[in-house]
Amino acid sequence: MGAEIGVARGRRAFHRFSAEDVTALVHDPEPGRLVVELVRAERSRRMLLMRGLLSLVPQYGDAGEGIARAWALLERSQRVAPQAVEEVLMAPGTGIWITSLLRQLRSDTSTGQLPIGVAAGRLSVMAAAAATRARLSFSLEVPIQWGIVSLPGLGCARFEEQGQQGWGTGRATGQGGSLRIVDVAGTEVWTGPDWRCHGPGWSPTRRLTVGRQGEALDLVLDEHDPYRNFSTPQQPRLLGEGESEAWRLSLTEAWNILIRDDPDVTEEIRCGPLISIAPTAAREEFRPYSSSSGEAFGGISASKPDSSSQLAATLVHEFQHIKLGAITHLEPLVKRVETLEDRVDLFYAPWRDDPRPLEGLVQGFYAFFGVARFWRAHRRKSEGSGALLADFEFALSRDQVWSVLKGLERHHRLTALGRRLVDLLVEHCEAWRAEEVSRPAMRLAHDAIVDHRARWRLHHLRPDVRAVEDAVSAWRRGDTLPPVSLGAAPRPVPDAQAVCLDIAATLARHVIADPTAQWAQGAEKRMGGAEQADVLLALGELPAARRDLLEKVKTQDPPAASWALLGRALADDPAHQETARFLLRFPERAKAVQEALTAAGVRRGDPLLLARWLAGGE
C-alpha cells in the first residue's frame, strides 16, 4: 500500500490547494471536482499516519508484533479486495484512532489512556474486517470491549456475558468469507459468508441507499465504532428497527430536498467520502446536535432530527466542516500563533455559547455560509409555515455570517488563502443581504441576533474594575454622566457556565411552528435557558415582560440575561429607546455597576434610572 504514495500512477508527488480552489469552496463550476481531490489528499494523509505508526511500533514488544501481523494481513487483503481495505482505512473512526494512538506513542505516557497494546488492537480488527470481505484465510487476536468486537464496514460481534467488563481479547478466524470470533471463555460468534445478515451475537453494519436511482447516496448508520463520536472510545448504541427505519425515512426525505433545492451540494457529497452518520438520541426540539472532526473525514454525529429540512441543513453544515477540515490539512487559512496577544485572542461567534479562537471561527462561518445557502434555496420551494421558517433561518444565518465576516476582513492572522475565502464570502453575503425577506421573519431573526450577542457579552466580557469603581463613585455623588473610562473595551473573561444562549432563536422556531402558542405552556421547564421573560417576549407581551424584568433586576441575584432582556422589552417604548439600545449593546456595564453598587451597600432603586444614567454616557 505504501508504494502508492507520491508520484505513483502518474499523480503529482504532493497535493496542493490554490487560490482557484478557494473559489471552488464558494461556488464550484464543476461540482465534485475539488471534493475528489480532497478525498485523494486525505487518503495520502491517512497512509502517512499509518507509516508513522509502523515506524514507532517496533519498540513496543507484543503490541508492535500484533500491529505488524495486522498490517501484513491488510496488505494481503488489498491485493484481492482493494476497495474493502480502502473502506476500513478511510473509516472516520480510523482517523480518530490513528491520531490519538500516535499522540499517545509520542507522549510516552499512558496516564488516563488505554494501554498501548489495547489501543493498537484496532488495527487487528481492521485487518479482520478487510480480510473477511476479501474471503481470505486468517487467524489473529482481536480486542473485545464492553462485550463488543466492532469491525469497520462489516458489523459487530456481541459477547453478552462479558457485559461491562471492559477490555478482553478474542481470536478471529476467517475462511472463504466466513468469520468466527471466540472469546477466552469459549463463547463463539459466527457470521458469513453473507455477513450482511443478522445472526446470534452478530449485528451487521447498517448501510443505506437513499434517493432516486442515478442520484442516490450510499451511507452508513454507525452504531458501534468506539470512535464514532470523535472522542475517547464509547460504548455501542445499537438502534432498534423502529429507530433505524425513522432514520432511513428522514435521510431519504432530506436527500430529496437537497436534490431539489441544492443539486450542486448533492453532487459534491456523492463525490466525497462514504458518509458515516452516528445517530444520537433526540435532543430538545429545535435544538438538534451535530458534530464532525477534521480527523474523521466523512464522519457525522447527529441527533434524531425534528424535520427533514432540518436534517438537510445539518448534512450541509457538517459537509462544509468536512471539506474545510481536509483543506486545512493541505494549506492553513490561519497563521500560527506567534505572540501572547494572539494566544488569548478570542472572538464572538453568533452560533456558539463560548468565545472561539480564530481557527474555530473560520470553521464556523464557512459551515453557516453553507446553511444560509441551503435555506436561501429552500425558501423558494416552501409554503405556509415552512416558508416562514425558511425565511427566518436564511435571514438568521446570513446576518450571523455577515457580522463575523465584516469583523474579520484583513485580520493579520489570516493567510492569503484565508483572506481570499473571506473576501468571496463577503461578496456573496452582501448580495444576499439585498434579497427581500418577509417582515415577520426579519423581525424574529433580528431579535434572535441581538439577544444572543447581548447574552454573550453579559457572560464573557467584564468592564475595567477601576472604571466600574469610578462609576459607583459618580453615581453616589449624583454626577449627570458616568465616567468616560467606563466606555473602554471590556476584558474577555470566558464563563464556562454560559449555556443555551440561543434561546431567542429556539423560541422563534416554536412561534413559527405553533402560532396558537400551545408551546408556551411550561416552556420554562422544558426549554433550556428559558425564563418567564423570554416566553413573554416571544409572545409579544412586552409590557408584561418589562414588569417581570424590572422586578428581577432588583433582586440580589437576578438571572444572567436580565439586563439584555430588559433592553428588548423596552425597545418599543419611545421614552426608553436610548436606554434599550444601550442595554442591548453594553449590558455588561449595567450588570457590573449594579453589582458594585450592591457590594458598596447602596440600596437597589429603580433599575431604569441606573440604566438611563449609564446610557447617557454614550
Coordinates of all heavy atoms in Angstrom, one line a residue, residues 118-157:
V118 N -3.7 -2.5 24.0 CA -5.1 -2.4 23.8 C -5.5 -1.4 22.7 O -6.3 -1.7 21.8 CB -5.8 -2.1 25.1 CG1 -7.3 -1.8 24.9 CG2 -5.6 -3.2 26.1
A119 N -4.9 -0.2 22.8 CA -5.2 0.8 21.8 C -4.8 0.4 20.4 O -5.5 0.7 19.4 CB -4.5 2.1 22.2
A120 N -3.7 -0.3 20.3 CA -3.2 -0.7 19.0 C -4.0 -1.8 18.4 O -4.0 -2.1 17.2 CB -1.8 -1.1 19.1
G121 N -4.9 -2.5 19.2 CA -5.6 -3.6 18.8 C -6.6 -3.3 17.7 O -7.0 -4.2 17.0
R122 N -7.0 -2.1 17.5 CA -7.9 -1.8 16.4 C -7.4 -2.2 15.1 O -8.2 -2.6 14.2 CB -8.3 -0.3 16.4 CG -9.3 0.1 15.3 CD -9.6 1.6 15.2 NE -10.4 1.9 14.0 CZ -11.7 2.0 14.0 NH1 -12.4 2.0 15.1 NH2 -12.3 2.3 12.9
L123 N -6.1 -2.1 14.9 CA -5.6 -2.4 13.6 C -5.8 -3.9 13.2 O -6.1 -4.3 12.1 CB -4.1 -2.2 13.5 CG -3.5 -2.2 12.1 CD1 -4.1 -1.1 11.2 CD2 -1.9 -2.1 12.1
S124 N -5.8 -4.8 14.3 CA -6.1 -6.2 14.0 C -7.6 -6.3 13.7 O -8.0 -7.2 12.8 CB -5.9 -7.0 15.3 OG -4.5 -7.0 15.6
V125 N -8.5 -5.5 14.3 CA -9.9 -5.6 13.9 C -10.1 -5.1 12.5 O -10.9 -5.7 11.7 CB -10.7 -4.7 14.9 CG1 -12.2 -4.6 14.5 CG2 -10.6 -5.3 16.3
M126 N -9.4 -4.0 12.1 CA -9.5 -3.5 10.7 C -9.0 -4.6 9.8 O -9.7 -4.9 8.7 CB -8.6 -2.3 10.6 CG -9.1 -1.1 11.3 SD -7.9 0.2 11.5 CE -7.4 0.4 9.8
A127 N -7.9 -5.3 10.1 CA -7.4 -6.3 9.2 C -8.4 -7.5 9.1 O -8.6 -8.0 8.0 CB -6.1 -6.8 9.7
A128 N -9.0 -7.9 10.2 CA -10.0 -9.0 10.2 C -11.2 -8.6 9.3 O -11.7 -9.4 8.5 CB -10.5 -9.3 11.6
A129 N -11.7 -7.3 9.4 CA -12.8 -6.9 8.6 C -12.5 -6.9 7.1 O -13.2 -7.4 6.3 CB -13.2 -5.5 9.0
A130 N -11.3 -6.4 6.7 CA -10.9 -6.4 5.3 C -10.7 -7.8 4.8 O -11.1 -8.1 3.7 CB -9.7 -5.5 5.2
A131 N -10.0 -8.6 5.6 CA -9.7 -10.0 5.1 C -11.0 -10.8 5.0 O -11.0 -11.7 4.1 CB -8.7 -10.6 6.1
T132 N -12.0 -10.6 5.8 CA -13.2 -11.3 5.7 C -13.9 -10.9 4.4 O -14.4 -11.8 3.6 CB -14.1 -11.0 6.9 OG1 -13.5 -11.4 8.1 CG2 -15.5 -11.7 6.7
R133 N -13.9 -9.6 4.1 CA -14.5 -9.2 2.8 C -13.7 -9.7 1.6 O -14.3 -9.9 0.5 CB -14.7 -7.7 2.8 CG -15.7 -7.2 3.8 CD -15.8 -5.7 3.8 NE -16.3 -5.2 2.6 CZ -16.4 -3.9 2.3 NH1 -16.2 -3.0 3.2 NH2 -16.9 -3.5 1.1
A134 N -12.4 -9.9 1.8 CA -11.6 -10.4 0.7 C -11.6 -11.9 0.6 O -11.0 -12.5 -0.2 CB -10.1 -10.0 0.9
R135 N -12.3 -12.6 1.6 CA -12.5 -14.0 1.6 C -11.2 -14.8 1.8 O -11.0 -15.8 1.2 CB -13.3 -14.5 0.4 CG -14.7 -13.8 0.3 CD -15.5 -14.4 -0.9 NE -16.8 -13.7 -0.9 CZ -17.9 -14.0 -0.2 NH1 -17.8 -15.0 0.6 NH2 -19.0 -13.3 -0.3
L136 N -10.3 -14.2 2.6 CA -9.0 -14.8 2.9 C -9.1 -15.7 4.1 O -10.0 -15.6 4.9 CB -8.0 -13.7 3.2 CG -7.6 -12.8 2.0 CD1 -6.6 -11.8 2.5 CD2 -7.1 -13.5 0.8
S137 N -8.1 -16.6 4.2 CA -8.0 -17.4 5.4 C -7.0 -16.7 6.4 O -5.9 -16.2 5.9 CB -7.5 -18.8 5.1 OG -8.4 -19.5 4.3
F138 N -7.4 -16.6 7.6 CA -6.5 -15.9 8.6 C -6.9 -16.2 10.0 O -8.0 -16.8 10.2 CB -6.6 -14.4 8.4 CG -8.0 -13.8 8.8 CD1 -8.2 -13.4 10.0 CD2 -9.0 -13.7 7.8 CE1 -9.5 -12.9 10.4 CE2 -10.2 -13.2 8.1 CZ -10.5 -12.8 9.4
S139 N -6.0 -15.9 10.9 CA -6.3 -16.1 12.3 C -5.5 -15.1 13.1 O -4.2 -15.1 12.9 CB -6.0 -17.5 12.8 OG -6.3 -17.7 14.2
L140 N -6.1 -14.3 13.9 CA -5.3 -13.3 14.7 C -6.1 -12.9 15.9 O -7.4 -13.0 16.0 CB -4.9 -12.1 13.9 CG -5.9 -11.0 13.5 CD1 -5.2 -9.8 12.9 CD2 -7.0 -11.5 12.6
E141 N -5.4 -12.3 16.9 CA -6.1 -11.9 18.2 C -6.7 -10.5 18.0 O -6.1 -9.6 17.3 CB -5.0 -11.8 19.3 CG -5.6 -11.7 20.7 CD -4.5 -11.8 21.8 OE1 -3.9 -10.7 22.1 OE2 -4.3 -12.9 22.2
V142 N -7.9 -10.3 18.5 CA -8.6 -9.0 18.4 C -9.1 -8.6 19.8 O -9.3 -9.4 20.7 CB -9.8 -9.1 17.5 CG1 -9.3 -9.4 16.0 CG2 -10.8 -10.2 17.9
P143 N -9.2 -7.3 20.1 CA -9.6 -6.8 21.4 C -11.2 -6.9 21.4 O -11.9 -6.8 20.5 CB -9.2 -5.4 21.4 CG -9.1 -5.0 19.9 CD -8.7 -6.2 19.2
I144 N -11.7 -7.1 22.7 CA -13.1 -7.0 23.0 C -13.3 -6.0 24.0 O -12.6 -6.0 25.1 CB -13.6 -8.4 23.5 CG1 -13.4 -9.5 22.4 CG2 -15.1 -8.3 23.8 CD1 -13.7 -10.9 22.9
Q145 N -14.2 -5.0 23.8 CA -14.5 -4.0 24.8 C -16.0 -3.9 25.0 O -16.8 -3.9 24.0 CB -14.0 -2.7 24.4 CG -14.1 -1.6 25.5 CD -13.6 -0.3 25.1 OE1 -13.6 0.1 24.0 NE2 -13.2 0.5 26.1
W146 N -16.4 -3.9 26.2 CA -17.9 -3.8 26.6 C -18.6 -5.0 26.0 O -19.8 -4.9 25.6 CB -18.5 -2.5 26.1 CG -17.8 -1.3 26.6 CD1 -17.6 -0.9 27.9 CD2 -17.2 -0.2 25.8 NE1 -17.0 0.3 28.0 CE2 -16.7 0.7 26.7 CE3 -17.1 0.0 24.4 CZ2 -16.1 1.9 26.3 CZ3 -16.5 1.1 24.0 CH2 -16.0 2.0 24.9
G147 N -17.9 -6.1 25.8 CA -18.5 -7.3 25.2 C -18.7 -7.2 23.7 O -19.6 -7.9 23.1
I148 N -18.0 -6.3 23.0 CA -18.2 -6.0 21.6 C -16.9 -6.1 20.8 O -15.9 -5.6 21.3 CB -18.8 -4.6 21.4 CG1 -20.2 -4.5 22.0 CG2 -18.8 -4.2 19.9 CD1 -21.3 -5.2 21.2
V149 N -16.9 -6.7 19.7 CA -15.8 -6.5 18.7 C -16.4 -5.8 17.5 O -17.3 -6.3 16.8 CB -15.3 -7.9 18.2 CG1 -14.2 -7.6 17.2 CG2 -14.7 -8.6 19.4
S150 N -16.0 -4.5 17.3 CA -16.5 -3.7 16.2 C -15.6 -3.7 15.0 O -14.5 -3.3 15.1 CB -16.7 -2.2 16.7 OG -17.1 -1.4 15.7
L151 N -16.1 -4.2 13.9 CA -15.3 -4.4 12.7 C -15.8 -3.4 11.6 O -16.9 -3.5 11.1 CB -15.5 -5.8 12.1 CG -14.9 -6.9 13.0 CD1 -16.1 -7.6 13.7 CD2 -14.1 -7.9 12.3
P152 N -15.0 -2.4 11.3 CA -15.4 -1.3 10.4 C -15.9 -1.8 9.1 O -15.3 -2.6 8.4 CB -14.1 -0.5 10.2 CG -13.3 -0.8 11.4 CD -13.6 -2.2 11.7
G153 N -17.1 -1.3 8.7 CA -17.7 -1.7 7.4 C -18.3 -3.0 7.4 O -19.0 -3.4 6.4
L154 N -18.2 -3.8 8.4 CA -18.6 -5.2 8.4 C -19.8 -5.4 9.4 O -20.9 -5.8 9.0 CB -17.5 -6.2 8.7 CG -17.6 -7.6 8.3 CD1 -17.6 -7.7 6.8 CD2 -16.5 -8.5 8.9
G155 N -19.5 -5.1 10.7 CA -20.5 -5.3 11.7 C -19.9 -5.4 13.1 O -18.7 -5.0 13.3
C156 N -20.6 -5.9 14.0 CA -20.1 -6.1 15.3 C -20.5 -7.5 15.9 O -21.7 -7.9 15.7 CB -20.4 -5.0 16.3 SG -22.1 -4.9 16.8
A157 N -19.6 -8.1 16.6 CA -19.9 -9.3 17.3 C -20.1 -9.0 18.8 O -19.4 -8.2 19.4 CB -18.7 -10.3 17.2

